[in-house]
Amino acid sequence: MPSKSRRDAEKKLQQLRQTLAGHNHRYYVLDDPQIPDAEYDRLFQELEQLEAEFPDLITADSPTQRVGANARREFAEVNHEVPMLSLGNAFAASDIEEFDRRVRNALDTEQPVEYFAEPKLDGLAVSLRYANGRLVQAATRGDGATGEDVTANVRTIKSVPLTLQGKNYPALLDVRGEVFMSKQGFNRMNAGLAEQGVKTFVNPRNAAAGSLRQLDPHITASRPLEICFHSFGRAEGGQLPDRQSELMTQLRDWGLRVAPETRRVKGAAGCLKYYQELGRKREQLKYEIDGVVYKVDRFDQQRVLGFVSRAPRWAIAHKFPAQEELTVLRAVEFQVGRTGALTPVARLEPVFVGGVTVSNATLHNMDEIERKDVHIGDTVYIRRAGDVIPEVVRVLPERRPKNAARIELPAACPVCGSHIVREPGEAVARCTGGLICAAQRKEALKHFASRRAMDIDGLGSVLVEQLVDDALLHTPADIYRLSDHKAALIRREGLGEKSVDKLLAAVAASKATTLPRFLFALGIRDVGETTAADLADYFGDLDALKQAALDYHKAMADGLAEKDLKALPLQQVGNVGHVIASKIADFFSEPHNTRIIDELLALGVQWQKTAGTAAGPKPLNGKIFVLTGSLNRMTRDEAKVHIQQRGGKVTGSVSKRTDYVVAGVDPGSKFDKAQQLGVAVLDEAAFLLLLELD
Ligand code: IVH
């Protein structure tokens, strides 16, 4: 049953559309919403329901009709009755002074000219036609004379009013502006595209252009496009203001969004001041700008000045240094950070970008290199925005030379020569040098001496840095050799004899420590205080832990499956899974690290040993095994691990002391020997039973 009479519905529809358009304007144009989103949604739904009841009362300017059209095959052409011109470019202050002189000459005045200064939005130009206040057409700039009809797409942009506000607008109005994407909108959209595995856009400008020129308006509607207006073309049947500054206020009153950062200025000096100010604000702006535009404010003066070729003589674009440039990637070097993380750095053909000459740019990590498919020799897009580190944004594959080379992760650390590891699934590759890598030394030493680690009173961050710079400290072991350098320490600025004595006493006192503290102090990746304590509890002493780490490392190198690695002693420790176990294994398998541990022990670092819970009852404790022949379920190495894990030992030859000979397929002479000596022989099934693996 229709809930309302037709006449009531008509009235209600009109009222809802007006209310919604008003809220839309406050939200998207003024950035100042009046009602909560939910309230807006409710009104929108009400409108939808009523329109469903009276479909013949739906109008093109209804907020429900923004995304109406279906995809088309191509865009129709639109002739711009007043051509869409471009602007002359200026880069230096002297260019602006020159421009101002030309303007004053043409106007024949000595007085400072009033200009209207605006940001130069980095998007794409469009011209929108409003007939009797209704949006009837939107076109791209094209070549300035002919553009493409993008009406259906522009209608989907929320800051575009489908009808103008107020009354005094011209019967026919062509307004011009810039369609763009905010930095935030761009980043979010790109993140979404990346998640879907779809190609991302290089910058907001390309994203805006790509999104507006979609043949299917539904796609455009899903993209965060925005608009700001800055000029007009044809205007008939109504009065326009006399100045650009007033025009902007008028446009805003008609519901057409304009950039907020505009201002009237006086003379070249005023222009340049505005340029400086906006340049400083550039990074904080919500959208990208590539410069500013100065326009002679008075329209009567604009008419006197007129045009040259395709640009007005009354306006000029003052560009900021470009934030993106093309250059050639010559080489890639790897830098080692404080935590050992390797960062690939692109060495570039020097290029002027973002106001400075750039010859290095970050490539972030190996995943990024793979994702962007960067090769040495490639022509690459470099971006430097504000003070951020320049980065390689993408490559131009069509310019790849034949001899372009793949970028390989080095096997050894460029600083210390230790192995580089990259855990599966991790983007970051790391140097395993830990304690000996100069790049990591300062951080490692600070951690080693810190209160929760070796707790060396007086050896804080600043002193560690100084002592490393003075070459008195290289590794943690050097801390315990500082007493040999007492004279040098006293000579150091800021360190009197008394404080040196105090420091050396604290160093000496720290030698008596605990195994958990020592393990934590070593700075093994992912081994925090809790894990260090768990490891100490389980193994009781360093030797047992080291052995477990080396066994684990070997098992990984042998390619043991994860479920078998899980059975190894290292993973029996609470909270130690494969990821942490492999880091512990890597650490102890690095000879540099074990050497420093040995030095520390030799220099007197010590702790109370305990039995460790791992030494508890084990099913095969003390049993001696000999393996012969091949097994089906596992290799001999794996069998050995299983036996050791349960407290057993594996030897090479059969003797009276042998408890079991495990005989697989094709056993050798050891089988005969076992029978001779009467040693128990287990076939594979019996062996698995013993291991409780059957
Ligand atoms: S005025 C006749 N104002 O820059 C002058 N243009 O190089 C018409 N642009 O295609 C343009 N911000 O799309 C003007 N505040 C601004 C602008 C601006 C960006 C673009 C515009 C035009 C290009 C000219």
Side-chain angles (χ1 to χ4, degrees):
M1 183 197 74
S3 56
K4 283 186 164 60
S5 78
R6 211 181 144 76
R7 196 138 29 94
D8 285 347
E10 216 167 344
K11 242 171 88 185
K12 181 74 188 167
L13 279 169
Q14 207 183 359
Q15 187 203 334
L16 276 171
R17 283 173 197 149
Q18 246 172 31
T19 311
L20 282 164
H23 289 310
N24 205 60
H25 174 252
R26 289 199 67 122
Y27 189 94
Y28 290 105
V29 179
L30 303 181
D31 225 348
D32 178 26
Q34 209 178 13
I35 55 167
D37 292 1
E39 176 68 9
Y40 181 92
D41 294 344
R42 203 184 56 72
L43 289 168
F44 197 92
Q45 266 176 13
E46 198 181 329
L47 175 62
E48 277 182 327
Q49 274 164 15
L50 204 51
E51 284 182 342
E53 251 175 85
F54 299 94
D56 57 315
L57 294 181
I58 298 175
T59 53
D61 64 354
S62 170
T64 58
Q65 303 301 304
R66 279 191 182 267
V67 200
N70 288 323
R72 69 212 65 228
R73 305 268 287 282
E74 58 177 7
F75 295 111
E77 284 189 351
V78 173
N79 282 323
H80 298 300
E81 289 168 40
V82 175
M84 290 182 77
L85 302 172
S86 57
L87 292 166
N89 283 334
F91 293 93
S94 58
D95 297 337
I96 300 307
E97 282 154 2
E98 187 78 24
F99 162 76
D100 176 55
R101 226 179 341 263
R102 285 199 304 270
V103 168
R104 277 184 291 124
N105 277 343
L107 296 175
D108 197 16
T109 177
E110 293 295 313
Q111 297 299 312
V113 174
E114 284 186 314
Y115 294 101
F116 194 67
E118 308 173 4
K120 189 171 189 299
L121 303 169
D122 205 2
L124 68 159
V126 287
S127 186
L128 272 60
R129 172 162 290 184
Y130 285 88
N132 297 315
R134 285 176 191 235
L135 176 66
V136 292
Q137 188 174 65
T140 61
R141 177 168 180 272
D143 62 4
T146 311
E148 289 172 322
D149 186 337
V150 287
T151 313
N153 291 347
V154 166
R155 286 173 60 90
T156 70
I157 302 172
K158 305 287 201 328
S159 41
V160 168
L162 299 177
T163 51
L164 295 181
Q165 296 193 333
K167 291 244 156 11
N168 58 338
Y169 44 76
L172 184 109
L173 177 66
D174 285 345
V175 271
R176 280 150 188 200
E178 206 78 0
V179 169
F180 62 94
M181 217 176 258
S182 72
K183 296 174 190 173
Q184 191 186 47
F186 165 75
N187 288 332
R188 283 198 189 147
M189 183 190 85
N190 251 1
L193 292 178
E195 217 165 84
Q196 294 165 37
V198 181
K199 200 159 179 259
T200 54
F201 290 97
V202 192
N203 55 38
R205 209 206 81 81
N206 287 12
S211 301
L212 188 66
R213 297 192 68 262
Q214 288 285 337
L215 289 165
D216 181 355
H218 293 89
I219 299 181
T220 308
S222 74
R223 303 279 172 83
L225 290 175
E226 301 181 29
I227 199 163
C228 273
F229 296 90
H230 50 59
S231 50
F232 68 94
R234 223 178 113 186
E236 276 163 26
Q239 202 53 39
L240 284 185
D242 298 329
R243 288 171 173 266
Q244 172 70 9
S245 50
E246 289 163 5
L247 173 75
M248 299 299 263
T249 313
Q250 178 65 86
L251 291 182
R252 194 177 303 148
D253 289 346
W254 286 333
L256 297 162
R257 188 178 176 208
V258 297
E261 301 84 4
T262 58
R263 179 165 98 216
R264 208 151 70 184
V265 298
K266 266 202 174 130
C271 291
L272 294 174
K273 188 156 173 263
Y274 175 83
Y275 177 83
Q276 298 293 339
E277 284 176 15
L278 205 60
R280 278 196 292 275
K281 272 180 35 189
R282 186 182 185 186
E283 284 314 303
Q284 282 98 58
L285 292 182
K286 291 192 175 148
Y287 46 82
E288 293 208 331
I289 59 176
D290 57 345
V292 300
V293 183
Y294 313 123
K295 300 170 182 172
V296 170
D297 195 41
R298 278 168 53 178
F299 288 153
D300 62 328
Q301 290 184 332
Q302 286 190 5
R303 279 190 287 276
V304 173
L305 283 152
F307 299 85
V308 271
S309 64
R310 302 185 49 206
R313 279 188 7 213
W314 44 263
I316 195 162
H318 192 182
K319 301 292 274 292
F320 288 131
Q323 292 183 320
E324 281 171 359
E325 281 296 347
L326 289 179
T327 190
V328 174
L329 190 153
R330 290 279 172 235
V332 172
E333 282 170 22
F334 286 82
Q335 276 177 0
V336 188
R338 291 181 309 185
T339 59
L342 255 66
T343 305
V345 177
R347 303 283 179 225
L348 309 164
E349 200 57 44
V351 61
F352 193 72
V353 55
V356 297
T357 300
V358 165
S359 41
N360 301 317
T362 180
L363 284 159
H364 300 293
N365 56 52
M366 291 309 285
D367 273 2
E368 282 290 295
I369 290 177
E370 276 154 37
R371 193 174 67 76
K372 294 175 182 160
D373 189 31
V374 186
H375 283 56
I376 294 164
D378 269 340
T379 296
V380 291
Y381 250 92
I382 298 301
R383 181 178 166 81
R384 179 186 181 269
D387 289 331
V388 302
I389 301 167
E391 64 164 344
V392 173
V393 184
R394 75 175 182 109
V395 306
L396 265 63
E398 62 274 20
R399 293 216 207 159
R400 175 166 297 163
K402 282 210 175 62
N403 62 352
R406 277 181 56 84
I407 298 164
E408 307 282 358
L409 184 69
C413 172
V415 176
C416 71
S418 301
H419 297 306
I420 298 299
V421 291
R422 185 180 172 201
E423 301 297 340
E426 272 191 26
V428 179
R430 285 178 200 278
C431 161
T432 52
L435 300 179
I436 66 115
C437 182
Q440 301 170 59
R441 192 169 292 155
K442 285 180 179 172
E443 294 311 307
L445 285 164
K446 285 179 201 172
H447 173 78
F448 186 87
S450 67
R451 200 169 52 78
R452 311 181 80 97
M454 296 300 282
D455 191 19
I456 306 176
D457 222 18
L459 189 55
S461 287
V462 178
L463 189 55
V464 166
E465 300 224 354
Q466 289 172 345
L467 295 179
V468 171
D469 291 341
D470 287 359
L472 285 172
L473 285 186
H474 298 91
T475 76
D478 292 333
I479 293 173
Y480 298 98
R481 297 187 186 104
L482 280 176
S483 47
D484 300 345
H485 304 281
K486 195 172 165 186
L489 284 171
I490 293 169
R491 275 200 305 277
R492 268 205 61 80
E493 214 178 327
L495 280 189
E497 182 162 2
K498 245 194 176 151
S499 53
V500 170
D501 281 341
K502 243 174 99 179
L503 173 68
L504 293 177
V507 168
S510 76
K511 287 181 187 174
T513 186
T514 65
L515 181 56
R517 273 182 181 278
F518 184 74
L519 290 176
F520 177 57
L522 292 175
I524 305 166
R525 279 188 54 71
D526 286 358
V527 175
E529 277 179 286
T530 311
T531 306
D534 289 348
L535 287 168
D537 266 356
Y538 187 80
F539 290 105
D541 193 28
L542 190 63
D543 286 336
L545 168 61
K546 185 175 158 186
Q547 191 53 51
L550 295 177
D551 289 346
Y552 200 89
H553 192 77
K554 179 162 188 318
M556 283 198 301
D558 290 346
L560 226 66
E562 284 218 7
K563 72 167 172 41
D564 295 324
L565 287 172
K566 208 175 154 143
L568 295 188
L570 204 46
Q571 282 211 46
Q572 307 317 307
V573 181
N575 287 327
V576 176
H578 175 58
V579 172
I580 299 181
S582 62
K583 283 174 181 160
I584 298 168
D586 286 340
F587 182 90
F588 282 98
S589 63
E590 192 59 62
H592 300 303
N593 293 335
T594 47
R595 198 193 71 222
I596 283 164
I597 291 173
D598 291 344
E599 285 177 24
L600 285 165
L601 300 181
L603 285 161
V605 173
Q606 53 178 306
W607 54 83
Q608 203 92 64
K609 292 180 190 182
T610 65
T613 52
K618 286 187 175 181
L620 302 180
N621 230 359
K623 299 284 186 231
I624 297 172
F625 285 74
V626 171
L627 303 172
T628 177
S630 54
L631 301 168
N632 290 316
R633 273 275 295 270
M634 59 184 84
T635 65
R636 271 209 237 173
D637 273 341
E638 287 162 0
K640 188 171 164 184
V641 169
H642 280 300
I643 293 165
Q644 287 171 341
Q645 233 182 295
R646 290 159 179 75
K649 239 178 113 173
V650 178
T651 62
S653 55
V654 183
S655 72
K656 282 190 302 213
R657 291 178 49 236
T658 307
D659 293 295
Y660 299 103
V661 168
V662 179
V665 184
D666 290 337
S669 59
K670 292 172 189 168
F671 178 74
D672 306 323
K673 184 84 184 275
Q675 293 207 310
Q676 256 175 41
L677 295 176
V679 174
V681 175
L682 303 174
D683 62 11
E684 181 161 6
F687 178 55
L688 293 175
L689 207 63
L690 188 68
L691 295 179
E692 294 177 306
L693 283 178
D694 57 318

